[in-house]
Amino acid sequence: MEHLKTGELAKRAGVNVETLRFYEREGLIPEPPRRVSGYREYPAESVRLIRFIKRAQELGFSLREVRELLALRVEPGTTCADVRHKAQEKVSDVREKIADLQAIERALNSLTASCSGEGPLTDCPILECLNGTTNEEK
Amino acid sequence: MEHLKTGELAKRAGVNVETLRFYEREGLIPEPPRRVSGYREYPAESVRLIRFIKRAQELGFSLREVRELLALRVEPGTTCADVRHKAQEKVSDVREKIADLQAIERALNSLTASCSGEGPLTDCPILECLNGTTNEEK
DNA sequence: CTTGACTCCGCACTAAGGTACGGGCCGTAG
DNA sequence: CTACGGCCCGTACCTTAGTGCGGAGTCAAG
């Protein structure tokens, strides 16, 4: 089978048919040739392309970034180092998110630690802290 | 000053006026009494309420979750342990996100490690890996 | 009394990443 | 040849957390 219809490509790549149309509109995948009837005829390697997109997404790249990644492949004179650079940028991105979440985790932990779980709601240290009762109270 | 107009409350709480209307629509803050003219008259403690919402958001609670938190405060028979429970749920939530991001970081790191940054694009191990060249190629 | 700032309301729009729908062709198995 | 599934298209809708806008009414200072 040399060319695929939308449904076939969608099934093989594990995405929704609408998603393919969406990616096409967003410029992530090229417009495929059409039959006279208007039916899209995707080359077999499109499966790869869609999976590439999905994998990149799993690695935390947004569709915008995926588009840039794909553009790199086509841009003449692009080097391996360019791609590497994008990946490294994404690493520091991810590290930042991790650090933010860790700060949140620490804050939540100290909150739950301050609360024995006993006593009525009115004395709950968590709500008090969220309310800012500790520092204000004009 | 016993009661605040929207603009005053917004300024004191550090949010946009529109955000107050939005929170009201979403049931996060109660509908305040109105003047004859229709102007809202917020009690002074509304500032606290808005700040509560903002702090909870900073701790990773979605507005939906904040609403639940606020509902707890009103629900009769709610205990401190209930609040504590919500906070702990959020902690495991956050931990899960951290773990996911760490997995992504590891994957990206092994990808960049595999790429010297030299050589032409066609041989880039990162793109190859994303493309799945390593396992398929039927 | 007028003017300018503030408030009211509903509605539209943003970003991201799709999903769903309805009407109308197409293509092929029976 | 006809029926049914697949495909076409544009468009609307979803979630989250708001922001923006325009027209009309209001408040307070000068």
Side-chain angles (χ1 to χ4, degrees):
Chain A
M1 198 173 298
E2 193 38 68
H3 39 67
L4 304 162
K5 284 189 284 184
T6 41
E8 288 159 354
L9 174 55
K11 190 178 284 181
R12 290 187 190 212
V15 300
N16 194 311
V17 174
E18 307 297 327
T19 304
L20 294 179
R21 294 213 312 129
F22 174 69
Y23 285 172
E24 189 179 316
R25 278 203 304 282
E26 294 295 305
L28 282 153
I29 58 180
E31 290 192 30
R34 305 286 190 117
R35 266 190 225 185
V36 213
S37 62
Y39 278 33
R40 287 168 180 82
E41 286 197 321
Y42 292 101
E45 71 257 28
S46 294
V47 180
R48 272 276 189 78
L49 178 54
I50 304 300
R51 292 207 186 134
F52 177 98
I53 296 170
K54 283 297 165 192
R55 278 190 220 196
Q57 272 190 303
E58 281 165 22
L59 289 179
F61 290 93
S62 68
L63 289 188
R64 162 197 292 269
E65 288 164 335
V66 175
R67 188 163 40 223
E68 285 166 16
L69 233 34
L70 290 168
L72 279 186
R73 295 198 311 185
V74 172
E75 201 90 5
T78 310
T79 65
C80 188
D82 295 329
V83 175
R84 190 182 147 89
H85 182 65
K86 292 263 182 202
Q88 280 174 333
E89 271 182 354
K90 189 43 71 181
V91 169
S92 48
D93 232 61
V94 168
R95 286 212 183 112
E96 205 177 311
K97 279 183 195 163
I98 291 173
D100 287 352
L101 284 171
Q102 280 169 342
I104 288 172
E105 190 193 342
R106 276 194 300 277
L108 280 171
N109 276 332
S110 77
L111 235 49
T112 57
S114 73
C115 176
S116 64
E118 290 155 37
L121 193 63
T122 42
D123 303 345
C124 180
I126 298 178
L127 288 185
E128 270 174 25
C129 176
L130 278 166
N131 254 329
T133 319
T134 41
N135 17 356
E136 309 174 45
E137 206 77 63
K138 106 161 168 277
Chain B
M1 200 174 294
E2 192 38 67
H3 39 67
L4 306 162
K5 284 189 284 183
T6 42
E8 288 159 353
L9 175 56
K11 188 177 285 179
R12 290 186 189 211
V15 299
N16 194 310
V17 175
E18 308 297 326
T19 304
L20 294 179
R21 295 211 315 127
F22 174 70
Y23 286 172
E24 190 178 315
R25 276 201 306 283
E26 294 295 304
L28 281 154
I29 58 179
E31 289 191 32
R34 305 287 190 113
R35 267 189 222 187
V36 213
S37 63
Y39 279 32
R40 287 168 181 83
E41 286 198 319
Y42 291 101
E45 70 258 28
S46 294
V47 180
R48 272 281 186 76
L49 178 55
I50 304 300
R51 291 205 186 135
F52 177 98
I53 295 170
K54 283 297 167 195
R55 279 190 219 195
Q57 272 190 303
E58 281 166 22
L59 290 177
F61 290 91
S62 68
L63 289 188
R64 164 198 290 269
E65 288 163 335
V66 175
R67 188 163 43 221
E68 285 166 15
L69 233 35
L70 291 169
L72 278 186
R73 293 198 313 185
V74 172
E75 200 91 4
T78 311
T79 65
C80 188
D82 294 329
V83 175
R84 189 183 148 87
H85 181 65
K86 292 263 183 204
Q88 280 174 333
E89 270 182 356
K90 188 43 73 181
V91 169
S92 48
D93 232 60
V94 168
R95 286 211 184 114
E96 204 177 313
K97 281 184 194 161
I98 291 173
D100 288 351
L101 285 170
Q102 280 169 340
I104 287 171
E105 190 193 342
R106 276 194 301 277
L108 281 170
N109 276 332
S110 76
L111 235 49
T112 57
S114 73
C115 175
S116 65
E118 289 155 38
L121 193 62
T122 42
D123 302 345
C124 180
I126 298 179
L127 288 184
E128 271 174 24
C129 176
L130 278 166
N131 255 328
T133 319
T134 41
N135 17 355
E136 310 176 42
E137 208 76 65
K138 107 157 163 281

